[in-house]
Amino acid sequence: MQIPTQSKGFEALPQELVDAVIDQNLDDLGALHASSLVCSSWTSASQRHLFSHVHFYNHSNFRFYRAKPTKNSHQIDRFYNLITTYPHLARLVKSVEVEPLLDASQEEFLGLTLQKLENLERISLDLGGYYWDELSQCMRDALLTTFRSPRVTNLELREGLFFKCADFLALLGACEHLKRLSLFYMSCDDLDEVIDTSDTPLPKGMNLKLDSLTLSLYEHSYLPLMHRLLQLQELMDLSHLHRLSVLTAGTGHLNERIETTKEILRLNSHSLEHLVLNVCLGEPLSKLIDITQLRSIQVKLWWVRCDQHTDAVEWLRWLAETFTDLAKHRIEEVTFEVFYCGELTNHASEWNALDTVLGNIPSLRRVDVKLDCYDGLKGRWRHHNEYPSSIAADVKTILPAISKKNILSHEVAANYHS
């Protein structure tokens, strides 16, 4: 009897099993590349992950740009040549991240490349501190053409500036099919001028109905920008969001950050299912939104600078009150991201009160605790190997009821890796 070769043995495996094996190695670039060489069925499954998200990085030395190549990074000219030779790879791309392309030889490939990505659903533009107008006309035209595509429903804008608010709104107006919008540290130079007037021309036909909104707002830019967006309720409907993330940062203005967050929350009526916050609202969440549909909540608790953030005791008491209300409904997942210095087990009585409330929520099936500890002596966040061996026991100590239900997990150096 003829013994099958190794390659035929791999080809005989059920595709469901092949997919399961590859899905376990999504973050291992070497494993994905190795898997793609096994046989044809493994190649297609591996390439689906290798090319689902691509990052076109700027390799020019002109001006400082801090973004570093990742496992999905490509020089755009080489990627264009790749998908021209192997067209099926272009159909695998669902998400693209673009940086300012400062080299004219790169810019000409952007429009050509984006045209080939027929299944593109998401585009992320990281301006890296540049103004939109600093991009070449060629690059802006290529991006706006892509934004208008009915397939592109997810847009992310990072760390950029606009000279005029009208230009920012015109960009949003080009994304008429948008369902998910993420804005990270975006601002406009003339916000103070247009905040109380109606002089800013609004894009014709702009009528966005968003399902998801993610906002990261910093210092003086966040308040006027959000006020301007709040004035556009007829043009950008935020009343039926299912996902909302509002994160504010800065060296002060805590009360303004809290009030801005509350304003955004009040725009949602009855549909919100997933919520992310990083400020203590100081009043029941049920007074701001309809919590009956809420299924998950993620809270970032900053306890490093008392002069810039809410006190830890006040935070924990507010959380206990909030989850007392949520216990009456169907909250299923909770994530606490704790940024702290000192001992995690401080404020034992407040932790115990929160743990008691969480332990009495029958629908709760997962609680994640993500920890980042600031080392004041070294002036930096602790590396993964610098956390004490007792940290797992400490997490169980502050949330014993949740631990007993076997729904508690924890992660150290969750945001600030070594």
Side-chain angles (χ1 to χ4, degrees):
M1 183 178 72
Q2 184 178 6
I3 299 175
T5 63
Q6 184 180 24
S7 61
K8 287 184 178 179
F10 279 119
E11 289 177 348
L13 291 174
Q15 190 61 44
E16 294 82 359
L17 180 58
V18 173
D19 292 342
V21 171
I22 293 174
D23 287 347
Q24 293 298 313
N25 293 278
L26 296 184
D27 297 323
D28 189 334
L29 182 62
L32 289 175
H33 278 299
S35 299
S36 68
L37 301 176
V38 174
C39 61
S40 59
S41 62
W42 288 60
T43 299
S44 58
S46 301
Q47 288 180 341
R48 187 169 62 250
H49 296 298
L50 285 169
F51 292 96
S52 64
H53 173 80
V54 296
H55 169 217
F56 299 135
Y57 70 96
N58 169 29
H59 56 82
S60 170
N61 292 323
F62 178 68
R63 291 179 70 171
F64 174 70
Y65 192 79
R66 60 175 174 73
K68 297 180 180 179
T70 67
K71 70 174 186 177
N72 302 105
S73 296
H74 300 270
Q75 291 185 15
I76 192 167
D77 49 349
R78 295 182 179 180
F79 187 80
Y80 175 77
N81 292 332
L82 178 67
I83 61 177
T84 300
T85 305
Y86 303 101
H88 73 281
L89 296 179
R91 293 190 291 271
L92 300 177
V93 180
K94 300 294 182 64
S95 173
V96 164
E97 182 178 349
V98 182
E99 298 174 7
L101 301 174
L102 306 175
D103 187 333
S105 63
Q106 298 179 62
E107 291 173 351
E108 65 178 293
F109 285 103
L110 180 62
L112 296 173
T113 301
L114 292 175
Q115 288 176 13
K116 288 181 175 288
L117 307 182
E118 58 188 57
N119 292 320
L120 186 66
E121 300 172 355
R122 173 185 175 273
I123 185 165
S124 172
L125 174 61
D126 189 340
L127 288 164
Y130 286 85
Y131 280 87
W132 169 253
D133 290 88
E134 288 187 272
L135 305 183
S136 70
Q137 188 65 51
C138 175
M139 183 173 182
R140 280 181 283 162
D141 289 345
L143 290 169
L144 287 171
T145 299
T146 306
F147 294 161
R148 293 188 181 100
S149 168
R151 300 184 305 273
V152 177
T153 59
N154 189 337
L155 173 65
E156 179 179 290
L157 299 175
R158 286 183 172 272
E159 298 194 27
L161 299 163
F162 287 80
F163 289 118
K164 297 181 179 180
C165 186
D167 296 334
F168 172 71
L169 296 176
L171 186 149
L172 293 183
C175 313
E176 56 183 305
H177 305 284
L178 200 62
K179 295 299 181 184
R180 296 186 175 187
L181 174 64
S182 301
L183 302 175
F184 296 86
Y185 309 132
M186 300 294 298
S187 190
C188 308
D189 283 356
D190 65 344
L191 281 171
D192 291 335
E193 302 172 15
V194 303
I195 193 67
D196 294 320
T197 72
S198 57
D199 297 335
T200 305
L202 299 176
K204 294 182 179 179
M206 181 176 174
N207 185 23
L208 301 180
K209 295 185 182 298
L210 297 179
D211 175 75
S212 172
L213 178 64
T214 299
L215 301 170
S216 288
L217 312 165
Y218 185 77
E219 287 289 8
H220 299 291
S221 66
Y222 64 82
L223 190 58
L225 176 59
M226 275 319 305
H227 278 168
R228 187 56 183 149
L229 292 179
L230 294 177
Q231 292 173 359
L232 304 177
Q233 293 183 45
E234 293 183 359
L235 302 179
M236 187 166 62
D237 185 2
L238 305 181
S239 64
H240 294 87
L241 293 175
H242 291 108
R243 294 179 178 271
L244 175 62
S245 173
V246 185
L247 303 178
T248 64
T251 57
H253 310 283
L254 178 59
N255 289 334
E256 287 181 312
R257 290 161 53 196
I258 293 172
E259 291 306 314
T260 298
T261 303
K262 289 181 179 180
E263 280 188 79
I264 299 169
L265 288 173
R266 290 190 184 102
L267 293 177
N268 295 274
S269 55
H270 57 274
S271 57
L272 200 61
E273 297 177 2
H274 310 280
L275 178 64
V276 183
L277 297 170
N278 73 338
V279 293
C280 177
L281 300 174
E283 63 178 291
L285 192 59
S286 57
K287 289 187 176 181
L288 301 169
I289 63 171
D290 181 352
I291 62 174
T292 59
Q293 300 300 314
L294 204 60
R295 296 294 176 261
S296 73
I297 183 168
Q298 179 177 348
V299 185
K300 296 175 180 282
L301 303 100
W302 282 86
W303 296 343
V304 178
R305 291 285 301 272
C306 296
D307 58 327
Q308 297 177 15
H309 307 113
T310 303
D311 176 75
V313 171
E314 186 177 345
W315 250 120
L316 292 170
R317 289 175 178 172
W318 178 75
L319 287 171
E321 293 174 0
T322 296
F323 284 105
T324 298
D325 285 343
L326 290 172
K328 305 169 187 176
H329 306 289
R330 285 194 51 79
I331 190 72
E332 297 174 357
E333 296 185 9
V334 175
T335 301
F336 298 121
E337 295 190 42
V338 187
F339 303 83
Y340 68 104
C341 56
E343 296 296 327
L344 180 65
T345 53
N346 290 342
H347 319 299
S349 60
E350 285 77 18
W351 276 117
N352 181 67
L354 176 58
D355 177 62
T356 300
V357 173
L358 291 173
N360 290 325
I361 302 179
S363 59
L364 192 61
R365 56 184 178 84
R366 181 173 179 177
V367 177
D368 294 327
V369 178
K370 299 184 177 183
L371 304 173
D372 286 277
C373 183
Y374 188 79
D375 190 325
L377 295 177
K378 296 181 179 180
R380 60 167 173 78
W381 297 96
R382 282 183 181 176
H383 296 165
H384 188 279
N385 60 359
E386 293 176 337
Y387 285 79
S389 58
S390 63
I391 193 68
D394 291 343
V395 173
K396 292 179 180 179
T397 297
I398 61 175
L399 297 172
I402 297 301
S403 177
K404 289 179 181 178
K405 296 176 71 172
N406 293 319
I407 58 173
L408 177 65
S409 66
H410 79 281
E411 178 184 358
V412 298
N415 293 275
Y416 296 96
H417 307 287
S418 58

